[in-house]
Amino acid sequence: MTTYTSGKKHRKMNKMRRQEALCGYLFASPWLIGLVVFTLYPVLSSLFYSFTNYNFSSAFKWVGFANYQVLFTRDPMIPISAYNTLYFALFSVPLNLVIGIAIAVMMNQKIRGIRMLRTVYYLPNVVSIVAVSMLWLFIFQSNGVLNAALKVFGVEGPNWLMDPDAAKPALIIMNCWNAGSTMIIYLAGLKGIPTSYYEAADVDGAGPIRKFFSITLPLLSPSIFYNTIIAIIGALQTFSTALVMTDGGPVHSTTFYVLTLYRRAFQDMRMGYASAMAWVLMVVTLVLTLCVYRLGNSKVYYEN
């Protein structure tokens, strides 16, 4: 009798678990359907199309690795756009991180109106990138605000977006204006540092610089690590600012990799080739991310 009752309870529990699991999947189904339809299917489709000559208009056929062969050997814009993208990432990522930390340290002070200042510094990140680009077009004009400010110090500024040597630095400067997104992450990290560490440092007679390099920077390393990876991924995908402000010019000096990808896909109608470019970018991004993770993770301080 005891065995029969126990078996009945076990079957009842299994039925309840199945019903609970079914309800869980039912409530999660909108997200799961969106994941499959709008993310998983396009990703797998692009991988398939990268081995075809798909061009939107006619039936496609399998071409194997021909797209990748053209990409690595015969497309003259690939070396140019790859160089421009790596140049942009090499300078914009460190500058963005340093400026973000500096702003976060300033915004961590206990002064009147600090909440308003935090809002002001974060504001550029909620404005449309097209609107921001149009604003910076006026700033970078030959008679714009930036050159007027430089003239005060006796410096004759270039025609930023028309000069091949100044166009990429101009976009790097503009990218640093969006340091508010990293500032929020750093500020959260600063709030998590116990004040007892700074009090102990004060007792030992440590100054602000020593406290920053011995306490703040090491304990902020998880936030720095995260922002570094996100900044690298973002820099490799630079597209909108170059399209709106320079259209890749002058003389292809701001033709970044994703801009070339866009042109191959939607101007040349070579969607199969563009899909191959996208997968190469994904692999490069993955490799760089793993390298940063391998090199930087051992330097990151975790409390546990």
Side-chain angles (χ1 to χ4, degrees):
M1 185 67 178
T2 304
T3 305
Y4 173 76
T5 305
S6 176
K8 189 175 180 180
K9 288 182 178 179
H10 184 69
R11 287 193 297 271
K12 187 176 180 180
M13 289 294 294
N14 285 339
K15 184 178 179 181
M16 291 176 63
R17 287 195 184 97
R18 286 195 296 270
Q19 290 176 344
E20 185 178 358
L22 182 62
C23 287
Y25 284 120
L26 183 63
F27 283 113
S29 60
W31 181 85
L32 292 173
I33 293 171
L35 174 68
V36 172
V37 174
F38 298 110
T39 301
L40 189 60
Y41 173 73
V43 167
L44 295 178
S45 296
S46 71
L47 179 60
F48 172 75
Y49 289 143
S50 71
F51 297 101
T52 69
N53 65 345
Y54 179 50
N55 63 1
F56 283 123
S57 58
S58 60
F60 58 83
K61 66 177 182 179
W62 185 267
V63 297
F65 288 95
N67 288 327
Y68 293 93
Q69 184 178 4
V70 171
L71 193 157
F72 285 108
T73 59
R74 297 204 298 272
D75 190 337
M77 286 307 304
I78 295 301
I80 296 172
S81 58
Y83 167 78
N84 290 336
T85 303
L86 292 176
Y87 181 100
F88 182 85
L90 184 64
F91 288 96
S92 68
V93 171
L95 278 174
N96 204 293
L97 294 175
V98 170
I99 293 172
I101 293 174
I103 296 174
V105 171
M106 290 190 293
M107 294 301 103
N108 196 39
Q109 306 303 313
K110 295 179 180 180
I111 59 175
R112 187 184 297 273
I114 193 66
R115 293 182 180 179
M116 180 62 70
L117 286 174
R118 291 170 185 168
T119 304
V120 169
Y121 274 103
Y122 186 74
L123 215 54
N125 296 276
V126 299
V127 180
S128 166
I129 189 64
V130 176
V132 171
S133 299
M134 296 303 294
L135 170 65
W136 280 89
L137 275 174
F138 290 104
I139 295 175
F140 284 129
Q141 287 180 349
S142 57
N143 58 347
V145 176
L146 182 57
N147 281 352
L150 291 175
K151 195 171 291 185
V152 173
F153 299 96
V155 178
E156 189 69 27
N159 190 354
W160 292 90
L161 299 179
M162 295 293 110
D163 186 346
D165 296 325
K168 275 195 292 289
L171 295 186
I172 291 170
I173 293 171
M174 176 188 168
N175 185 67
C176 293
W177 194 59
N178 293 320
S181 58
T182 59
M183 179 267 292
I184 292 295
I185 305 297
Y186 291 133
L187 189 58
L190 290 171
K191 294 296 183 183
I193 300 177
T195 57
S196 58
Y197 293 164
Y198 295 105
E199 293 169 357
D202 288 333
V203 172
D204 291 339
I209 296 177
R210 182 57 184 268
K211 285 189 288 186
F212 176 78
F213 285 101
S214 297
I215 300 175
T216 304
L217 210 56
L219 295 182
L220 203 60
S221 55
S223 301
I224 297 173
F225 182 59
Y226 170 80
N227 280 329
T228 300
I229 293 176
I230 297 300
I232 290 173
I233 295 172
L236 294 178
Q237 296 177 353
T238 301
F239 166 71
S240 301
T241 54
L243 179 65
V244 174
M245 298 179 67
T246 62
D247 196 30
V251 200
H252 300 302
S253 60
T254 59
T255 301
F256 298 115
Y257 187 87
V258 177
L259 181 58
T260 302
L261 190 157
Y262 164 80
R263 287 173 173 170
R264 295 291 181 266
F266 299 105
Q267 293 181 2
D268 301 341
M269 295 301 173
R270 297 166 62 188
M271 181 56 71
Y273 181 73
S275 297
M277 290 183 64
W279 276 92
V280 169
L281 177 62
M282 189 276 289
V283 171
V284 171
T285 304
L286 178 62
V287 170
L288 288 177
T289 302
L290 290 175
C291 290
V292 171
Y293 187 85
R294 186 69 180 270
L295 294 173
N297 194 43
S298 60
K299 306 295 183 182
V300 176
Y301 171 79
Y302 296 108
E303 284 196 33
N304 58 354

